[in-house]
mmCIF file of all heavy atoms in Angstrom:
data_model
loop_
_atom_site.group_PDB
_atom_site.id
_atom_site.type_symbol
_atom_site.label_atom_id
_atom_site.label_comp_id
_atom_site.label_asym_id
_atom_site.label_seq_id
_atom_site.Cartn_x
_atom_site.Cartn_y
_atom_site.Cartn_z
ATOM 1 N N ASN A 1004 74.165 78.039 110.407
ATOM 2 C CA ASN A 1004 73.769 78.829 109.187
ATOM 3 C C ASN A 1004 72.593 78.320 108.464
ATOM 4 O O ASN A 1004 72.259 78.777 107.369
ATOM 5 C CB ASN A 1004 74.998 78.831 108.230
ATOM 6 C CG ASN A 1004 75.412 77.505 107.795
ATOM 7 O OD1 ASN A 1004 74.671 76.511 107.831
ATOM 8 N ND2 ASN A 1004 76.665 77.343 107.240
ATOM 9 N N GLY A 1005 71.891 77.355 109.014
ATOM 10 C CA GLY A 1005 70.672 76.715 108.439
ATOM 11 C C GLY A 1005 70.956 76.171 107.019
ATOM 12 O O GLY A 1005 70.053 76.124 106.245
ATOM 13 N N GLY A 1006 72.209 75.770 106.775
ATOM 14 C CA GLY A 1006 72.506 75.180 105.465
ATOM 15 C C GLY A 1006 72.759 76.198 104.371
ATOM 16 O O GLY A 1006 72.904 75.864 103.255
ATOM 17 N N LEU A 1007 72.844 77.506 104.751
ATOM 18 C CA LEU A 1007 72.994 78.527 103.721
ATOM 19 C C LEU A 1007 74.526 78.965 103.599
ATOM 20 O O LEU A 1007 75.193 79.093 104.594
ATOM 21 C CB LEU A 1007 72.244 79.784 104.260
ATOM 22 C CG LEU A 1007 71.599 80.670 103.271
ATOM 23 C CD1 LEU A 1007 70.639 79.912 102.382
ATOM 24 C CD2 LEU A 1007 70.918 81.790 103.950
ATOM 25 N N TYR A 1008 74.930 79.105 102.413
ATOM 26 C CA TYR A 1008 76.356 79.465 102.175
ATOM 27 C C TYR A 1008 76.324 80.711 101.181
ATOM 28 O O TYR A 1008 75.554 80.756 100.222
ATOM 29 C CB TYR A 1008 77.107 78.283 101.527
ATOM 30 C CG TYR A 1008 77.270 77.210 102.520
ATOM 31 C CD1 TYR A 1008 76.326 76.265 102.738
ATOM 32 C CD2 TYR A 1008 78.347 77.234 103.426
ATOM 33 C CE1 TYR A 1008 76.383 75.268 103.637
ATOM 34 C CE2 TYR A 1008 78.506 76.295 104.392
ATOM 35 C CZ TYR A 1008 77.491 75.273 104.537
ATOM 36 O OH TYR A 1008 77.650 74.338 105.527
ATOM 37 N N PHE A 1009 77.291 81.652 101.488
ATOM 38 C CA PHE A 1009 77.441 82.818 100.640
ATOM 39 C C PHE A 1009 78.763 82.806 99.951
ATOM 40 O O PHE A 1009 79.769 82.463 100.588
ATOM 41 C CB PHE A 1009 77.262 84.070 101.579
ATOM 42 C CG PHE A 1009 77.429 85.406 100.803
ATOM 43 C CD1 PHE A 1009 76.540 85.782 99.862
ATOM 44 C CD2 PHE A 1009 78.546 86.185 101.057
ATOM 45 C CE1 PHE A 1009 76.651 87.003 99.165
ATOM 46 C CE2 PHE A 1009 78.713 87.370 100.423
ATOM 47 C CZ PHE A 1009 77.705 87.849 99.479
ATOM 48 N N VAL A 1010 78.777 83.165 98.650
ATOM 49 C CA VAL A 1010 80.035 83.360 97.992
ATOM 50 C C VAL A 1010 80.319 84.811 97.836
ATOM 51 O O VAL A 1010 79.514 85.512 97.141
ATOM 52 C CB VAL A 1010 79.970 82.669 96.545
ATOM 53 C CG1 VAL A 1010 81.344 82.805 95.878
ATOM 54 C CG2 VAL A 1010 79.509 81.191 96.648
ATOM 55 N N PRO A 1011 81.386 85.335 98.457
ATOM 56 C CA PRO A 1011 81.630 86.771 98.516
ATOM 57 C C PRO A 1011 82.286 87.309 97.226
ATOM 58 O O PRO A 1011 83.301 87.984 97.294
ATOM 59 C CB PRO A 1011 82.486 86.961 99.770
ATOM 60 C CG PRO A 1011 83.231 85.684 99.771
ATOM 61 C CD PRO A 1011 82.366 84.616 99.212
ATOM 62 N N ALA A 1012 81.749 86.965 96.093
ATOM 63 C CA ALA A 1012 82.412 87.348 94.818
ATOM 64 C C ALA A 1012 81.737 88.564 94.168
ATOM 65 O O ALA A 1012 81.538 88.645 92.965
ATOM 66 C CB ALA A 1012 82.372 86.113 93.912
ATOM 67 N N LEU A 1013 81.344 89.576 94.998
ATOM 68 C CA LEU A 1013 80.675 90.764 94.478
ATOM 69 C C LEU A 1013 81.556 91.483 93.491
ATOM 70 O O LEU A 1013 81.020 92.233 92.682
ATOM 71 C CB LEU A 1013 80.245 91.620 95.622
ATOM 72 C CG LEU A 1013 79.388 90.946 96.758
ATOM 73 C CD1 LEU A 1013 78.992 92.097 97.779
ATOM 74 C CD2 LEU A 1013 78.234 90.194 96.204
ATOM 75 N N SER A 1014 82.844 91.335 93.593
ATOM 76 C CA SER A 1014 83.765 91.907 92.631
ATOM 77 C C SER A 1014 84.640 90.845 92.017
ATOM 78 O O SER A 1014 85.840 91.088 91.878
ATOM 79 C CB SER A 1014 84.642 92.984 93.304
ATOM 80 O OG SER A 1014 83.831 93.997 93.842
ATOM 81 N N GLY A 1015 84.132 89.716 91.726
ATOM 82 C CA GLY A 1015 84.915 88.599 91.248
ATOM 83 C C GLY A 1015 85.660 87.959 92.508
ATOM 84 O O GLY A 1015 85.405 88.405 93.654
ATOM 85 N N LEU A 1016 86.581 87.039 92.223
ATOM 86 C CA LEU A 1016 87.360 86.464 93.345
ATOM 87 C C LEU A 1016 88.838 86.712 93.136
ATOM 88 O O LEU A 1016 89.417 86.557 92.039
ATOM 89 C CB LEU A 1016 87.103 84.979 93.291
ATOM 90 C CG LEU A 1016 85.758 84.473 93.839
ATOM 91 C CD1 LEU A 1016 85.582 82.937 93.573
ATOM 92 C CD2 LEU A 1016 85.584 84.702 95.316
ATOM 93 N N GLY A 1017 89.453 87.118 94.269
ATOM 94 C CA GLY A 1017 90.958 87.347 94.209
ATOM 95 C C GLY A 1017 91.546 86.027 94.597
ATOM 96 O O GLY A 1017 91.198 84.907 94.175
ATOM 97 N N ALA A 1018 92.617 86.176 95.533
ATOM 98 C CA ALA A 1018 93.328 84.955 95.938
ATOM 99 C C ALA A 1018 92.432 84.040 96.596
ATOM 100 O O ALA A 1018 91.585 84.335 97.428
ATOM 101 C CB ALA A 1018 94.505 85.380 96.866
ATOM 102 N N PRO A 1019 92.695 82.664 96.469
ATOM 103 C CA PRO A 1019 93.629 82.101 95.527
ATOM 104 C C PRO A 1019 93.063 81.756 94.184
ATOM 105 O O PRO A 1019 93.691 81.111 93.412
ATOM 106 C CB PRO A 1019 94.063 80.800 96.245
ATOM 107 C CG PRO A 1019 92.810 80.408 96.999
ATOM 108 C CD PRO A 1019 92.022 81.672 97.321
ATOM 109 N N HIS A 1020 91.747 82.188 93.872
ATOM 110 C CA HIS A 1020 91.130 81.788 92.655
ATOM 111 C C HIS A 1020 91.450 82.666 91.423
ATOM 112 O O HIS A 1020 91.534 82.172 90.338
ATOM 113 C CB HIS A 1020 89.531 81.796 92.912
ATOM 114 C CG HIS A 1020 89.175 80.924 94.001
ATOM 115 N ND1 HIS A 1020 89.028 79.569 93.896
ATOM 116 C CD2 HIS A 1020 88.876 81.247 95.290
ATOM 117 C CE1 HIS A 1020 88.685 79.080 95.097
ATOM 118 N NE2 HIS A 1020 88.524 80.045 95.959
ATOM 119 N N TRP A 1021 91.485 83.954 91.609
ATOM 120 C CA TRP A 1021 91.732 84.890 90.569
ATOM 121 C C TRP A 1021 90.729 84.622 89.409
ATOM 122 O O TRP A 1021 91.157 84.430 88.276
ATOM 123 C CB TRP A 1021 93.231 84.881 90.041
ATOM 124 C CG TRP A 1021 94.109 85.305 91.204
ATOM 125 C CD1 TRP A 1021 94.965 84.522 91.989
ATOM 126 C CD2 TRP A 1021 94.283 86.656 91.787
ATOM 127 N NE1 TRP A 1021 95.542 85.215 92.923
ATOM 128 C CE2 TRP A 1021 95.193 86.529 92.818
ATOM 129 C CE3 TRP A 1021 93.761 87.870 91.445
ATOM 130 C CZ2 TRP A 1021 95.527 87.684 93.561
ATOM 131 C CZ3 TRP A 1021 94.099 88.973 92.275
ATOM 132 C CH2 TRP A 1021 94.944 88.843 93.238
ATOM 133 N N ASP A 1022 89.542 84.798 89.712
ATOM 134 C CA ASP A 1022 88.439 84.650 88.724
ATOM 135 C C ASP A 1022 87.633 85.914 88.623
ATOM 136 O O ASP A 1022 86.817 86.207 89.454
ATOM 137 C CB ASP A 1022 87.517 83.460 89.163
ATOM 138 C CG ASP A 1022 86.433 83.150 88.187
ATOM 139 O OD1 ASP A 1022 86.253 84.004 87.165
ATOM 140 O OD2 ASP A 1022 85.773 82.177 88.216
#
Side-chain angles (χ1 to χ4, degrees):
N1004 62 16
L1007 213 61
Y1008 291 88
F1009 178 65
V1010 182
L1013 307 184
S1014 299
L1016 286 171
H1020 302 280
W1021 297 106
D1022 181 348

